[in-house]
């Protein structure tokens, strides 16, 4: 790890003067459509700390939205990228291929659920990979419809905006959206009280009556929803959907962009219920911060696409592939799946000591955990509370993110390289935020 000191330090008001000055430049020259969670400008990050331009050291509970799972500038990633950047930066895999892309595909075949023959295609962003999974499913099935779920988030490109549920800020004013995207009810145990089997029956019933299996190319689902509120479907929901897809020749796509790559204590969240998706979408944590995404799936589905039908100038860029191989080695050599499970235990134990009726649920898995906040009595989502707890945490130097369809969920996505001490300190600050807002 770099020599960045692993302690929290708030030495100026947040934002400090240098960040405030940079914010003015941002406002003058950067599109306001690109928002800011915390108006502090980063200079270095490692372990569990992000350092800003004013010398403040913030505890990182966000990992740049679940990306730096192995830690920012993790040593093996730095070494691999430095070595690669000196050799060649780009040839375009579609022009003259290179080994590291193939090695990433081999690793993905080994790491994704199921021992069938698999192939991968690499892209740049989560959205781009989700779009390509839909292209593959359509090509294989010869059908066009795609089913997604309430609270889903799949990205901001035109097709993935259609697949994303929440209108503000992701879709507002940006239509018309892609056709043939249908939404089914999600299993959301806190709010629907249904078992996994009941919720699956409800969803499948709606798909059968409103879409028809014969028209359906793919069901695309996040095994644990990300932006939608870290919703963990009731046990049995995912296996029932996957079974129905298999019976009906529908491609079952797991969007593991946020839940994958060790984040939940297994390599992929689908593994928890032994679900074997036909296609798995990876991004975020796959390459330690370099832009890379992948679709990995059954050979017969991937082989259905005509040669030249997939790709892109930068997809599977050599720097990103070098980083991904280093990320995989880090997860496997450093026992990071176990570390994710330890983080879950620590966070759950901390919240078990908080007796507050405004916390409706602590949920998630591994280092992908959240608390949903409500108004006691009515159970109505309390977005204002989530916002003020996050603001409190930010003012104390803790990077904290919210999420959820109603914005009433605080999520914890620490890098797995964070120390217990930093994590405990950050959680104490978040919990103190509950008291401040009482
Ligand atoms: C589940 C899921 N799918 C897709 C995406 C889109 O990924 P990207 O922002 O890399 O396009 C995200 C991003 O948050 C995500 O969480």
């Amino acid at each position: 790890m770099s020599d960045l000191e692993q302690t929290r330090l708030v030495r100026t008001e947040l934002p400090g003067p240098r960040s405030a000055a940079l914010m003015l430049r941002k406002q003058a020259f950067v599109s306001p459509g690109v928002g800011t969670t915390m108006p502090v400008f980063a200079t270095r990050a490692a372990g569990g700390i992000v350092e800003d331009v004013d010398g403040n050291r913030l505890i990182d509970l966000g990992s740049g939205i679940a990306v730096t799972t192995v830690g920012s500038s993790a040593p093996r990633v730095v070494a691999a990228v430095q070595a690669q950047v000196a050799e060649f930066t780009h040839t375009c895999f579609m022009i003259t291929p290179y080994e590291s892309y193939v090695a990433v595909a081999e690793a993905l075949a080994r790491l994704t659920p199921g021992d069938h023959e698999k192939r991968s295609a690499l892209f740049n962003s989560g959205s781009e990979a989700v779009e390509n999974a839909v292209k593959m499913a359509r090509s294989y099935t010869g059908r066009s419809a795609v089913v997604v779920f309430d609270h889903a988030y799949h990205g901001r490109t035109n097709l993935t905006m259609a697949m994303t549920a929440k209108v503000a800020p992701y879709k507002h004013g940006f239509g018309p959206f892609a056709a043939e995207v249908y939404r089914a009810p999600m299993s959301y145990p806190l709010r629907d009280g249904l078992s996994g089997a009941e919720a699956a029956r409800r969803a499948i019933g709606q798909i059968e009556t409103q879409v028809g299996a014969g028209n359906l190319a793919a069901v695309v689902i996040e095994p644990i929803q990300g932006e939608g509120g870290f919703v963990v479907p009731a046990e049995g929901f995912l296996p029932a959907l996957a079974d129905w897809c298999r019976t009906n020749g529908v491609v079952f796509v797991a969007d593991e962009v946020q839940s994958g790559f060790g984040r939940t204590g297994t390599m992929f969240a689908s593994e928890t219920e032994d679900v074997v998706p036909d296609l798995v979408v990876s991004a975020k944590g796959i390459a330690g911060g370099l832009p890379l995404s992948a679709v990995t799936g059954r050979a017969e589905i991937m082989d259905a696409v005509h040669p030249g039908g997939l790709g892109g100038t930068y997809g599977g860029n050599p720097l990103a592939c070098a980083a991904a191989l280093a990320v995989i080695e880090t997860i496997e050599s450093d026992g990071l799946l176990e570390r994710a499970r330890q983080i879950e235990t620590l966070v759950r134990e901390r919240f078990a000591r908080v007796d507050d009726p405004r916390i409706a649920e602590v949920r998630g898995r591994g280092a992908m955990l959240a608390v949903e906040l409500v108004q006691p009595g009515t159970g109505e989502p309390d977005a204002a509370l989530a916002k003020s707890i996050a603001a409190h945490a930010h003012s104390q130097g803790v990077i904290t993110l919210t999420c959820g369809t109603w914005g009433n969920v605080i999520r914890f996505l620490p890098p797995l390289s964070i120390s217990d001490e930093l994590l405990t300190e950050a959680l104490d600050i978040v919990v103190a935020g509950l008291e401040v807002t009482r």
Side-chain angles (χ1 to χ4, degrees), residues 16 48 78 81 122 133 146 197 219 260 295 323 343 397 399 415:
V78 171
V81 173
L122 304 184
V146 176
V219 166
V295 182
I343 286 175
I399 302 173

Side-chain angles (χ1 to χ4, degrees), residues 1-2 4 6 44-50 60 62-64 66-79 81 261-263 284-290 323 326-328 330-331 334 336 339 343 367 413-419:
M1 198 187 298
S2 82
L4 180 57
Q6 295 295 301
R44 289 195 297 170
I49 291 288
V50 175
D60 185 7
S63 301
V67 169
T68 51
T69 307
V70 297
S72 187
S73 301
R76 289 185 189 85
V77 174
V78 171
V81 173
F261 259 81
R263 177 55 57 189
K284 290 196 184 277
I286 189 174
L290 278 87
V327 163
I328 293 164
T330 302
I331 292 174
D334 294 357
L336 291 188
R339 179 64 190 145
I343 286 175
L413 289 163
L416 302 180
S417 53
I418 197 171
S419 66

Side-chain angles (χ1 to χ4, degrees), residues 65 125-128 130 153-155 222 226-227 255 257-258 283-284:
I65 323 187
S125 68
S127 315
E128 193 188 358
V130 171
Y153 183 87
H154 296 293
E222 301 155 86
E227 306 305 299
D255 178 349
V257 167
Q258 194 152 161
K284 290 196 184 277

Side-chain angles (χ1 to χ4, degrees), residues 3 16 45 48 56 66 83 93 110 133 244 257 263 279-280 288 311 323 342 369 386-387 406 426 436 438:
D3 57 2
N56 298 299
F93 189 74
R110 176 171 64 82
W244 181 86
V257 167
R263 177 55 57 189
L279 300 178
V280 177
Q342 288 167 359
L369 297 164
K387 210 170 160 186
W406 303 284
V436 169
R438 199 178 280 283

